[in-house]
Amino acid sequence: YVDGLPENHMLKDFKVFPVTEIVTYGFNPRDAPLEKTGVHLPPEEFHKALEDKDVVVIDVRNFNETLIGKFVAPNGEVLDPCMRRSTEFPKWVEKNKSKLRDKKVLMYCTGGVRCERASAFVKNKGIDDVYQLEGGIHRYLEAYPEDGGHWIGKNYTFDKRYSHGA
């Protein structure tokens, strides 16, 4: 009996092994130094930034997560890399750098972890005006519990809830 989960939701096997990265993007961590991440914006500031003119928003989550919910940018563009795996992100950035240049780039993910290395990677590619949602979608939805703010749909979670949101 684990956390009240039905038997078909319990772990069937458990392995522990060391990793060099929490999220594997497939590039050398020196190509995305964590001291050069995007500026962390609290949910209220991220909300206002989504309304800026010509803002570009990057969803750093995997495609299956984006299907159930996403941000809208009333005066800008939301870009979904449609990744099956995070290792697809570097190629997507190379292919789409022209869409990011001279724009205010906002990045988001579920809890903020994936944006750490991803925002540093984008900045290391010569994009200077990069911001990320502090605490991810999870914290944003806590700040906008009634209507979800600029979020539409649900947020995929990695726990027994599977999703949450307005």
Side-chain angles (χ1 to χ4, degrees), residues 14-26:
F14 188 70
K15 295 179 183 179
V16 177
F17 52 93
V19 296
T20 56
E21 293 284 325
I22 293 173
V23 179
T24 303
Y25 282 106

Side-chain angles (χ1 to χ4, degrees), residues 10 18 30 34 55 60 109 112-113 130 143 145 149 153 163:
M10 291 185 207
R30 289 188 301 257
L34 290 177
V55 71
V60 186
C109 60
V113 175
V130 179
S163 70

Side-chain angles (χ1 to χ4, degrees), residues 92-146:
W92 182 88
V93 171
E94 286 297 329
K95 187 177 177 182
N96 290 278
K97 277 194 298 190
S98 63
K99 294 179 183 177
L100 309 176
R101 271 202 190 88
D102 302 319
K103 301 278 186 173
K104 182 175 192 171
V105 177
L106 303 177
M107 300 176 73
Y108 71 92
C109 60
T110 303
V113 175
R114 289 178 269 190
C115 283
E116 289 296 303
R117 194 67 78 184
S119 68
F121 183 79
V122 169
K123 286 186 73 174
N124 200 42
K125 291 297 180 183
I127 310 302
D128 297 319
D129 205 11
V130 179
Y131 303 84
Q132 65 188 70
L133 175 56
E134 186 176 85
I137 302 160
H138 186 82
R139 294 289 176 243
Y140 183 90
L141 291 175
E142 286 179 346
Y144 296 91
E146 297 299 318

Side-chain angles (χ1 to χ4, degrees), residues 42-61:
E44 297 77 14
E45 290 180 37
F46 191 84
H47 181 85
K48 288 179 187 170
L50 284 168
E51 298 170 352
D52 288 352
K53 186 178 182 197
D54 293 330
V55 71
V56 173
V57 185
I58 303 174
D59 190 335
V60 186
R61 300 170 305 148

Side-chain angles (χ1 to χ4, degrees), residues 55-105:
V55 71
V56 173
V57 185
I58 303 174
D59 190 335
V60 186
R61 300 170 305 148
N62 293 332
F63 182 68
N64 62 319
E65 296 171 80
T66 68
L67 292 175
I68 65 168
K70 61 183 89 181
F71 277 108
V72 293
N75 301 307
E77 180 179 12
V78 178
L79 302 176
D80 182 355
C82 298
M83 298 180 291
R84 284 191 43 131
R85 294 183 177 91
S86 296
T87 53
E88 297 169 14
F89 186 68
K91 285 182 186 174
W92 182 88
V93 171
E94 286 297 329
K95 187 177 177 182
N96 290 278
K97 277 194 298 190
S98 63
K99 294 179 183 177
L100 309 176
R101 271 202 190 88
D102 302 319
K103 301 278 186 173
K104 182 175 192 171
V105 177

